[in-house]
């Protein structure tokens, strides 16, 4: 599969088969995802693989703002919690911000890493969907996220049990402008 095919064919998957994800396969996906670019090569993104009772507890107790997310998490065999180490991306060694964007680079790096993870998973036959609507404080507590890290996204992962059609894309003319 080419990079172009991977990008164009990957879809957000919300229905999964019950088949478990082999831990060696997940390690291979994380190794590939580790090549995501990051601010000054800080590599701040960390992943937590969640299965079983804890995954089901997160599904039940951390998705009241959007219960559909809880249903998706509950039937996925695996949940990835995406976190980052605070205070590194976008910062100089003395703790000052490198640009006017301040701490925004942390979320940018985590987003790039999450998408890279999803593409690497797709390349191995797995589906995923990046979720942002959940009770972050409760989920971070259940996952015992250390103070120096922040939970930014949840990604249910599994073998797809659906084949969504690609949504319509905006034309390039709407997305690209040139200046000289």
């Amino acid at each position: 599969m080419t990079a172009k095919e991977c990008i164009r064919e990957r879809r957000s998957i919300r229905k999964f088969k019950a088949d478990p994800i082999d831990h060696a396969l997940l390690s291979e996906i994380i190794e590939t995802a580790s090549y995501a670019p990051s601010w000054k090569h800080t590599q701040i993104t960390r992943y937590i693989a969640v299965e079983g009772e804890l995954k089901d507890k997160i599904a039940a107790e951390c998705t009241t703002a959007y219960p559909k997310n809880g249903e998706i998490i509950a039937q996925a065999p695996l949940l990835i919690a995406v976190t980052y180490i605070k205070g590194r991306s976008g910062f100089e060694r003395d703790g000052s911000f490198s640009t006017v964007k301040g701490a925004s680079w942390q979320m940018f790096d985590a987003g790039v890493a999450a998408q890279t993870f999803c593409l690497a998973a797709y390349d191995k036959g797995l589906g995923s969907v990046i979720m942002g609507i959940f009770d972050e404080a409760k989920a971070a507590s259940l996952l015992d996220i250390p103070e120096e890290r922040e939970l930014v996204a949840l990604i249910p992962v599994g073998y797809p049990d659906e084949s969504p059609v690609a949504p319509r894309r905006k034309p390039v003319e709407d997305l690209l402008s040139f200046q000289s």
Side-chain angles (χ1 to χ4, degrees):
M1 165 181 322
T2 67
K4 182 177 179 178
E5 290 168 334
C6 193
I7 292 165
R8 290 179 71 128
E9 294 171 11
R10 186 213 164 258
R11 300 283 168 268
S12 290
I13 300 298
R14 293 173 177 86
K15 292 181 182 176
F16 303 95
K17 296 177 183 173
D19 304 345
I21 308 302
D22 183 87
H23 290 188
L25 177 61
L26 181 59
S27 292
E28 185 179 340
I29 292 165
I30 295 294
E31 192 274 331
T32 300
S34 76
Y35 283 84
S38 62
W39 176 270
K40 294 186 177 183
H41 198 58
T42 50
Q43 301 180 70
I44 61 169
T45 305
R46 300 293 185 269
Y47 307 89
I48 302 168
V50 187
E51 299 171 306
E53 290 179 21
L54 182 55
K55 177 189 70 75
D56 293 340
K57 188 169 186 161
I58 291 169
E61 298 180 15
C62 300
T63 59
T64 55
Y66 189 66
K68 182 70 176 163
N69 279 351
E71 296 170 20
I72 296 166
I73 293 169
Q75 54 89 38
L78 177 70
L79 180 66
I80 295 292
V82 180
T83 72
Y84 66 74
I85 301 170
K86 297 187 256 184
R88 291 191 186 168
S89 184
F91 295 87
E92 294 300 319
R93 292 195 187 276
D94 66 3
S96 65
F97 293 127
S98 300
T99 73
V100 296
K101 295 212 182 318
S104 298
W105 283 106
Q106 298 174 131
M107 189 62 97
F108 185 86
D109 282 358
V112 171
Q115 175 66 356
T116 303
F117 170 87
C118 290
L119 291 171
Y122 177 73
D123 183 56
K124 294 299 182 183
L126 296 174
S128 60
V129 60
I130 300 172
M131 295 181 169
I133 303 174
F134 58 92
D135 185 333
E136 291 180 33
K138 177 131 186 155
S141 176
L142 290 172
L143 292 165
D144 199 25
I145 304 289
E147 180 64 31
E148 69 275 3
R149 286 172 39 189
E150 184 168 331
L151 175 62
V152 294
L154 297 176
I155 306 176
V157 181
Y159 293 96
D161 199 19
E162 65 176 347
S163 298
V165 176
R168 198 172 119 273
R169 299 294 191 229
K170 292 182 180 189
V172 172
E173 296 77 27
D174 290 355
L175 303 173
L176 175 65
S177 64
F178 290 92
Q179 295 184 2
S180 27

